[in-house]
Amino acid sequence: MPFKDGYVLSTVLFIAISVASICLTSISCSPGGESAKADTVFFNGVIYTVDDAFSVAEAAAIKDGKFIAVGGDEEILALAGPQTRRIDLGGKAVVPGLVDAHAHMMLYSLGLDRIDAMGAPGAAAVAEMVAARATMIPAGEWITGWGWDSNDWEGMEFPTRGMLDEAAPENPVSLFKQDGHAAWVNSEALRIAGIDRNTPDPPGGTIIRDSRGNATGMLIDTAMILVNSNIPEAPFEKQKELLTKAVQKWLAVGLVGIHDMGDGPEEAALVKALIDDGAFPFRIYFSYDNTLDNLDELLAAGTEEYGDGRLVIRSIKAFIDGSLGSHSAALLEPFEGRPGDTGLQITSRDELTDLAERCLNAGFQLETHACGDRGARIILDAYEEALSRVPTPDHRFRIEHAQMVDADDIPRFAQLGVIPSMQPTHCTSDNPWVIELVGAERAAGLYAWRSMLDAGSYIPCGSDFPVESINPMLGIYAAITRQHEDGTPEGGYNPEQRMTREEVLRGFTIWAAKAAFQEDRLGSIEPGKRADLVVLDRDIMKVPPLEIPGTKVLMTIFEGDVVYNSEPGVTEEQ
Ligand SMILES: [Zn+2]
C-alpha cells in the first residue's frame, strides 16, 4: 500500500494545507476540502496512547492509515465528514497495536500442522497422540510435534525412544521439547539420521545415551539437527497457507507485529509472497540466523524494507548457549548438584566478537540468545570489544532472554546501550523447577526486570512463542504479578522484580518498536504514526490483576483497517 512519507500530519491545519495542494492535481477532491476529513474516527473510549507522558485520550482520528489527531471526543469528531467511518468505543479501553519482541514465526506457523503436546501430563499421553497420528498417515512419513515438557512430569526424567517405537513403529518421529532445546525421537528417526553408538556428540550438542552407550532417543541442542535436517520441508503453498492462518491467530490476540528470531532467505521470500498477494496485514521484524551458509552475502546485500515496512530485515540472530531447562545454559557456577557442569557454550567469544563487528560494519543489529549468566557476560564482553573497534552510537544490539545475569553485569546493558529483550511468561513457567536447577540463591536473581529498569534499560517484551502462548495478556499479567494464572504463589516469585502495568505495556508497544528502530512510526497512538490499535473488553490498566489473563480483544486495527473484529461490545456507526 503506497503512502505519502513526504509530510508529517501533525495538525489539522497542516493537513488542510497539504490536501489543498494535492487537490490541484486530484480529481477525487470535492469542493470545500472534504478529503481533509478523517477516514475513520474512534471515539468515546479510554485510549492509552503510550506517549512519553502515558496520556489517556477519548478519541483518535485516522487518515491514510495513520493517526492524524488524538484527543477529546469533541475535537476529534469535528474531523469527521459525511464519508468518515465513526466507531463508538462504548467506553472500552484501547491500547496501541501490540508487538511480540521475541517470537518464532515458522516454528509457530508450521506447528499449526504438527502434534501439539503442550500441557501433556506425561510421556504416555504424548505417545498416544503419536499413535493416533500414525494411523492417519502412510508408513515412512514423518510425525513431528512440539510442546512436551518433562519438567512438568513426575520424576522430571527425559522420556526415551521405546515408547515412540511402540506408538509409531513405521514412521520416523521427532518431537521438540517446549523450550526448543531438546528433541525426543524414535528408533526409525535415529536410523534415518544414521545415529548409532559410534556417532560422536556434535559441537554444542549432546546425544543422550544409556549405560551401554546407545542413544536413548533424546537429542540436545545441535544434536537435534542430525535428525531434523532429514525432515522434508512443507511445500511453499502449504507454508503460505499456514502462515496466513498464524497471522489471523496473532491479530485475534491484539498483535500487529512480531520480531522473528533467526530465519533465512526462504522465509523472507514467503513473507514477501504473502505481502505481494495483498493479504498480509501484519509486520515482521526479521532476523537472519547467523549459521546461514551465505551470511556474508546477506550482510553485503544490506538491510531491507519491503511492503511499506511489513517486512523489515535488519538483524542477525545468534546463540551463545542453550536453556536452563535443558541444562544447556552457560553458567558461571555449575548447575545445582552437578559439579563441573556449567552448561554449553555454542559460540566462542572470538566468533561472536567477529560476528558483532561484521554486523556493525554492515549496519545490522545483532540479537544474541543467552539464558545463563556466563552466556550474558560473554556477549557483553564480545559486544564491548566489537564496539571499541567499530564505534557505533546507535547500534541497539540486543541480548535475547537475559534470564540469568550476574548483578555486576546488569548495569553494563545500559552503559553499553545493549537491550535486554525479555519474556515475562518465562518467569512463571520456569520458576517451579528452576530452583532445583540453580539453587534458591541464584534463582532469586533470575528474570531481573526491576533491576534492569532501575539500571536505565528498557525492556522489549515478548513471549518466545511457540515456547509460550501467543497471548500478550499472559505476558502483561506475568510481568506485573510474577504469579501463575491462579494467583500462586502468594505475592509472586521474587516480587521485588515486578514491572508496573505502564512498563509492561510500553514493553509490548513502544519499547518493542524502539528495539527495532521503529519508534518514529510505531508503538504509540500519536499523530503521524501508523494507525494500529487494539480495543479490549476490559481496562487492563485498572482491573484486578487476576482478570487480565481473561482479557478478550474486541477489535484489532492495522493501519486504519479493522483486521480482526470479535463483533460484540463495539458498535460501529455508518
Ligand atoms: Zn526464542
Side-chain angles (χ1 to χ4, degrees):
M1 193 192 74
F3 74 106
K4 300 170 193 75
D5 230 352
Y7 50 91
V8 177
L9 308 178
S10 56
T11 67
V12 179
L13 181 64
F14 190 57
I15 296 157
I17 292 167
S18 302
V19 168
S21 59
I22 290 164
C23 282
L24 296 174
T25 53
S26 167
I27 51 161
S28 65
C29 283
S30 57
E34 177 51 44
S35 61
K37 296 296 184 186
D39 298 332
T40 309
V41 291
F42 287 87
F43 64 100
N44 187 26
V46 179
I47 301 177
Y48 294 99
T49 64
V50 194
D51 61 4
D52 281 345
F54 208 76
S55 52
V56 182
E58 291 171 330
I62 296 169
K63 189 170 177 61
D64 297 332
K66 292 182 182 177
F67 296 113
I68 54 168
V70 180
D73 282 341
E74 207 175 315
E75 155 200 2
I76 298 302
L77 284 167
L79 301 174
Q83 303 302 317
T84 301
R85 185 179 195 194
R86 299 152 196 255
I87 297 183
D88 183 348
L89 293 162
K92 297 294 183 199
V94 172
V95 296
L98 301 171
V99 172
D100 190 314
H102 182 120
H104 297 274
M105 170 177 80
M106 296 308 291
L107 276 180
Y108 180 83
S109 61
L110 296 177
L112 294 174
D113 212 24
R114 289 180 185 149
I115 287 179
D116 177 3
M118 209 154 179
V126 180
E128 252 171 60
M129 292 185 228
V130 170
R133 179 67 63 99
T135 63
M136 291 154 54
I137 58 171
E141 196 168 293
W142 281 84
I143 296 175
T144 58
W146 61 273
W148 61 270
D149 191 353
S150 51
N151 291 308
D152 294 338
W153 300 344
E154 217 183 306
M156 287 172 59
E157 295 273 326
F158 275 146
T160 54
R161 63 192 151 93
M163 224 180 236
L164 296 180
D165 290 346
E166 232 169 86
E170 291 173 351
N171 301 84
V173 181
S174 176
L175 310 170
F176 277 111
K177 185 167 178 282
Q178 190 185 10
D179 65 11
H181 289 278
W184 177 19
V185 303
N186 69 352
S187 299
E188 181 59 7
L190 290 170
R191 188 192 63 76
I192 290 171
I195 296 176
D196 59 26
R197 53 186 307 143
N198 300 316
T199 310
D201 286 351
T206 309
I207 300 167
I208 295 189
R209 298 162 207 265
D210 62 19
S211 56
R212 284 174 304 171
N214 293 316
T216 64
M218 189 57 57
L219 308 171
I220 308 296
D221 285 311
T222 57
M224 299 188 293
I225 299 168
L226 301 174
V227 160
N228 291 338
S229 57
N230 295 288
I231 303 173
E233 262 188 19
F236 193 72
E237 283 308 311
K238 180 75 183 172
Q239 291 188 28
K240 273 172 78 177
E241 180 196 318
L242 290 170
L243 184 52
T244 302
K245 217 191 259 184
V247 166
Q248 289 311 312
K249 289 181 182 286
W250 297 334
L251 293 171
V253 294
L255 292 171
V256 296
I258 59 172
H259 297 183
D260 178 45
M261 293 291 129
D263 273 311
E266 289 96 11
E267 288 78 26
L270 180 69
V271 175
K272 286 179 183 175
L274 286 174
I275 292 170
D276 292 344
D277 289 350
F280 201 75
F282 202 75
R283 291 186 205 93
I284 306 286
Y285 182 71
F286 189 94
S287 57
Y288 286 126
D289 190 301
N290 79 303
T291 61
L292 291 165
D293 291 337
N294 59 341
L295 187 69
D296 281 323
E297 236 171 83
L298 295 167
L299 285 170
T303 60
E304 186 181 356
E305 193 170 322
Y306 192 86
D308 194 21
R310 281 169 169 76
L311 175 68
V312 175
I313 304 172
R314 75 170 292 173
S315 199
I316 304 297
K317 170 78 188 303
F319 282 87
I320 198 76
D321 64 1
S323 76
L324 287 165
S326 298
H327 284 107
S328 53
L331 306 188
L332 292 166
E333 300 293 332
F335 281 96
E336 199 72 0
R338 292 178 165 232
D341 180 4
T342 54
L344 282 179
Q345 185 181 339
I346 289 168
T347 312
S348 76
R349 181 184 150 168
D350 287 348
E351 278 173 298
L352 190 67
T353 308
D354 173 65
L355 176 64
E357 220 181 308
R358 283 149 71 209
C359 286
L360 291 170
N361 282 323
F364 276 78
Q365 181 188 43
L366 181 55
E367 306 163 331
T368 311
H369 162 121
C371 284
D373 48 5
R374 182 161 56 95
R377 179 168 295 171
I378 295 164
I379 299 172
L380 289 167
D381 290 347
Y383 284 1
E384 191 168 18
E385 193 179 335
L387 284 162
S388 73
R389 290 187 206 155
V390 188
T392 310
D394 198 15
H395 55 86
R396 304 197 200 185
F397 275 12
R398 299 165 45 156
I399 294 185
E400 302 302 318
H401 309 307
Q403 291 181 349
M404 188 177 193
V405 180
D406 190 82
D408 290 345
D409 290 325
I410 285 179
R412 295 179 68 200
F413 281 77
Q415 283 159 12
L416 294 168
V418 173
I419 303 166
S421 164
M422 300 172 84
Q423 301 76 35
T425 39
H426 280 342
C427 168
T428 39
S429 296
D430 296 1
N431 248 297
W433 46 261
V434 85
I435 291 178
E436 258 181 75
L437 293 178
V438 300
E441 199 184 315
R442 281 185 292 175
L446 298 187
Y447 319 97
W449 309 321
R450 182 84 269 135
S451 304
M452 284 288 182
L453 292 163
D454 289 350
S457 286
Y458 62 92
I459 304 176
C461 290
S463 69
D464 203 10
F465 71 66
V467 176
E468 304 276 358
S469 160
I470 62 171
N471 185 355
M473 293 304 144
L474 302 185
I476 291 172
Y477 171 76
I480 66 168
T481 63
R482 294 174 75 100
Q483 288 174 324
H484 300 282
E485 284 168 56
D486 62 2
T488 61
E490 202 171 328
Y493 297 105
N494 308 107
E496 67 282 359
Q497 292 291 350
R498 284 185 301 219
M499 293 187 216
T500 64
R501 297 187 200 220
E502 182 180 323
E503 285 163 348
V504 67
L505 187 54
R506 288 187 189 279
F508 277 104
T509 56
I510 191 71
W511 289 345
K514 224 173 148 183
F517 300 85
Q518 295 173 327
E519 73 276 15
D520 57 334
R521 52 172 140 160
L522 302 177
S524 62
I525 299 173
E526 292 182 89
K529 290 203 178 181
R530 303 293 172 95
D532 303 339
L533 50 86
V534 184
V535 185
L536 303 172
D537 74 340
R538 66 198 73 180
D539 188 340
I540 56 167
M541 301 306 289
K542 294 206 178 92
V543 295
L546 273 172
E547 291 178 22
I548 292 175
T551 304
K552 293 273 173 293
V553 169
L554 300 175
M555 259 191 195
T556 303
I557 286 89
F558 180 87
E559 296 187 355
D561 292 329
V562 179
V563 288
Y564 171 77
N565 190 351
S566 76
E567 293 164 327
V570 177
T571 51
E572 188 182 330
E573 292 175 3
Q574 206 165 335

